[in-house]
Amino acid sequence: TIRTRAELERNRERVEQALEATIHSVARVVEERDPYTAGHQERVADLAVAIARDLGFDADTIRGIRLGAWVHDIGKVKVPADILNKPGKLSEAEFAVVQEHVAAGVRILEGAEFPWPILDMIRQHHERLDGSGYPHGLRDGAIIPEARILAVADVVEAVSSHRPYRPALGSDKAKAILRQERSSRLDTEAVDACLRLLEAGRFAWE
């Protein structure tokens, strides 16, 4: 019985490792297509994992957060390149097209079965506690903890990095936005953990 259980555990680990490698490969599809956000998903994953560790999440949940972050923007493969890389401000119609990347990401991966809530992370990473997010205007308790952490990491990475329509705004601007949106739009605990990491110098991207 002990040998059987050990073998089952080894098989489960092999399956999860293969799944992880597949998800990472899928994530690179977006990065190959959109040079301006190359590395965005991986950088978001690094920060999201650091936040989750600071909050004391267990190892398996943290693994799911990393994998979900790796593919949270996979739906951008459906957004026309001229909109993704537009140097100026997007029109309302163009922004509506960008917002569709959430639903597209869910459609791309919905046939796969994951032991983590990866589809909900994709579906909810642009939702906000006050209902001002998209695509469903979810509020507070309707947003899973993993997506709350991902939202914070996504905001920090986006503000800190260069985009076609603006230069990088830097970590000070990112921290100011976190403080402004703490508890109103972004999760209090995730924001506090992120600020602890940044201000203590316990996290930095290479």
Side-chain angles (χ1 to χ4, degrees):
T1 300
I2 292 174
R3 285 196 297 270
T4 300
R5 287 177 179 173
E7 183 62 28
L8 287 173
E9 179 61 25
R10 285 194 293 271
N11 288 338
R12 185 186 69 82
E13 183 64 23
R14 283 195 289 268
V15 169
E16 289 187 359
Q17 287 175 352
L19 182 59
E20 183 173 326
T22 300
I23 289 174
H24 204 194
S25 297
V26 169
R28 293 190 181 278
V29 173
V30 175
E31 295 175 0
E32 288 291 328
R33 182 170 180 265
D34 181 13
Y36 285 104
T37 56
H40 166 72
Q41 294 183 127
E42 188 130 13
R43 286 160 60 87
V44 169
D46 289 342
L47 180 53
V49 164
I51 292 171
R53 284 178 178 153
D54 186 86
L55 292 174
F57 280 67
D58 64 84
D60 188 62
T61 300
I62 290 173
R63 189 177 195 177
I65 288 172
R66 180 181 294 281
L67 298 184
W70 275 350
V71 291
H72 73 277
D73 274 342
I74 186 64
K76 284 187 176 178
V77 297
K78 300 292 289 183
V79 179
D82 59 334
I83 293 180
L84 278 181
N85 300 325
K86 183 176 178 179
K89 184 178 180 180
L90 297 179
S91 68
E92 287 188 13
E94 289 169 333
F95 185 58
V97 172
V98 171
Q99 289 180 315
E100 285 297 314
H101 81 276
V102 175
V106 173
R107 289 196 300 272
I108 289 169
L109 293 175
E110 65 184 350
E113 293 187 11
F114 301 108
W116 309 279
I118 288 177
L119 292 184
D120 280 339
M121 290 178 65
I122 295 172
R123 190 179 287 116
Q124 298 178 10
H125 74 277
H126 281 296
E127 300 288 358
R128 296 296 181 260
L129 302 184
D130 61 0
S132 63
Y134 67 87
H136 301 298
L138 300 180
R139 289 178 175 270
D140 203 359
I143 306 171
I144 64 172
E146 293 90 339
R148 294 168 181 245
I149 290 172
L150 180 54
V152 170
D154 197 31
V155 166
V156 173
E157 201 288 328
V159 172
S160 301
S161 300
H162 173 79
R163 290 294 182 267
Y165 50 87
R166 60 150 175 81
L169 299 179
S171 61
D172 286 343
K173 179 63 175 178
K175 287 186 285 188
I177 291 174
L178 291 186
R179 293 188 181 97
Q180 179 182 345
E181 299 190 355
R182 177 185 181 272
S183 301
S184 58
R185 302 185 75 234
L186 296 172
D187 182 79
T188 302
E189 292 186 352
V191 166
D192 289 348
C194 187
L195 289 173
R196 282 195 298 271
L197 293 167
L198 298 176
E199 292 177 344
R202 292 163 48 207
F203 177 86
W205 285 296
E206 294 182 3

